[in-house]
């Protein structure tokens, strides 16, 4: 069996549940695998990293985008496989119902986006390099992609490789694939819950990259 374009064996991206994602997620009521403290940390990261205005794509957005409510972006586009979740996401100005594992191509123009957010969704991509290459196409030169995740995931749908790695190696996997997809200016970090906040238990891991400027 040939390797995937990322150079990794296809078995690395198998999942325990093979039901179509549309059906699987339509039956779930949970909107996030992060606790409230982690979600607040993601919003704080967006506050400092997203451009002050412009067009933002929230990938695999679900019902809760973490974009700060005081942000004044021209448009926030949400893409998700779950239509009900998208309809309930009040942060969005445009909604795209799509399964990236079936159709990684996104019907948006080249270099039309000022930033892309992907929160707690990377674990479920069965061909992440193809998706990242598509996201690189959509971003304007110099624009950021912000990928965040916690240590929680849905085991039936997270790919085998993700489940086999620890947090540090998951971060390394993302940076490797971003590099192969043509991104640059990579940066990583994490936010650990303070000991005095018992309601916040989930560490937030982040990888930020930017579309390279034209030579």
């Amino acid at each position: 069996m040939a390797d995937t374009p990322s150079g990794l064996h296809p078995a690395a991206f198998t999942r325990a549940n093979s039901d179509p994602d549309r059906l699987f997620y339509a039956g779930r009521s949970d909107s996030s695998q992060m606790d409230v403290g982690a979600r607040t940390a993601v919003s704080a990261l967006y506050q400092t990293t997203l451009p002050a205005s412009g067009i933002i794509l929230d990938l695999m957005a679900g019902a809760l985008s973490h974009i700060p409510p005081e942000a004044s972006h021209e448009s926030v586009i949400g893409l998700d496989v779950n239509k009900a979740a998208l309809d309930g996401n009040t942060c969005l100005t445009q909604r795209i119902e799509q399964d990236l594992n079936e159709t990684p191509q996104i019907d948006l123009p080249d270099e039309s986006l000022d930033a892309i957010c992907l929160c707690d969704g990377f674990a479920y991509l069965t061909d992440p390099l193809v998706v990242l290459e598509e996201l690189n196409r959509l971003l304007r030169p110099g624009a950021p992609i912000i990928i965040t995740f916690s240590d929680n995931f849905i085991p039936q749908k997270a790919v085998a490789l993700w489940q086999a790695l620890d947090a540090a190696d998951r971060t390394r996997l993302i940076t490797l694939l971003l590099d192969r997809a043509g991104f640059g200016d990579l940066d990583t970090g994490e936010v650990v819950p303070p000991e005095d906040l018992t309601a916040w238990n989930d560490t937030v891991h982040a990888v930020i990259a930017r579309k390279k400027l034209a030579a």
Side-chain angles (χ1 to χ4, degrees), residues 155-175:
Q156 301 97 312
K157 282 297 185 180
V159 299
L161 178 60
W162 188 267
Q163 300 197 46
L165 300 176
D166 61 18
D169 283 334
R170 290 170 186 160
T171 296
R172 281 189 280 271
L173 173 66
I174 295 171
T175 57

Side-chain angles (χ1 to χ4, degrees), residues 48-70:
T48 59
T49 308
L50 288 175
S53 61
I55 302 173
I56 311 300
L57 174 62
D58 190 0
L59 206 65
M60 303 169 79
L64 291 173
S65 290
H66 308 301
I67 296 171
E70 65 273 16

Side-chain angles (χ1 to χ4, degrees), residues 70-149:
E70 65 273 16
S72 56
H73 299 107
E74 177 184 339
S75 178
V76 179
I77 305 168
L79 186 152
D80 199 273
V81 69
N82 188 330
K83 183 179 185 300
L86 286 175
D87 289 343
N89 190 328
T90 58
C91 180
L92 306 177
T93 59
Q94 181 181 338
R95 295 163 176 83
I96 301 173
E97 182 187 358
Q98 183 173 329
D99 183 348
L100 288 172
N101 290 328
E102 291 183 355
T103 308
Q105 294 75 31
I106 301 172
D107 188 18
L108 292 171
D110 292 358
E111 299 187 356
S112 60
L113 301 178
D114 296 289
I116 295 173
C117 305
L118 174 55
C119 180
D120 247 358
F122 204 93
Y124 312 108
L125 294 174
T126 57
D127 202 345
L129 180 61
V130 171
V131 173
L132 291 176
E133 289 172 341
E134 176 70 355
L135 301 181
N136 198 357
R137 176 185 72 82
L138 297 176
L139 282 172
R140 305 186 202 278
I145 177 171
I146 307 165
I147 300 174
T148 51
F149 63 93

Side-chain angles (χ1 to χ4, degrees), residues 148-208:
T148 51
F149 63 93
S150 69
D151 296 321
N152 305 320
F153 54 83
I154 301 170
Q156 301 97 312
K157 282 297 185 180
V159 299
L161 178 60
W162 188 267
Q163 300 197 46
L165 300 176
D166 61 18
D169 283 334
R170 290 170 186 160
T171 296
R172 281 189 280 271
L173 173 66
I174 295 171
T175 57
L176 169 69
L177 294 178
L178 283 166
D179 179 71
R180 291 187 179 177
F183 287 92
D185 197 17
L186 276 71
D187 191 19
T188 65
E190 65 178 25
V191 182
V192 178
E195 293 182 359
D196 58 342
L197 292 181
T198 57
W200 179 3
N201 299 298
D202 298 338
T203 297
V204 175
H205 311 276
V207 183
I208 302 170

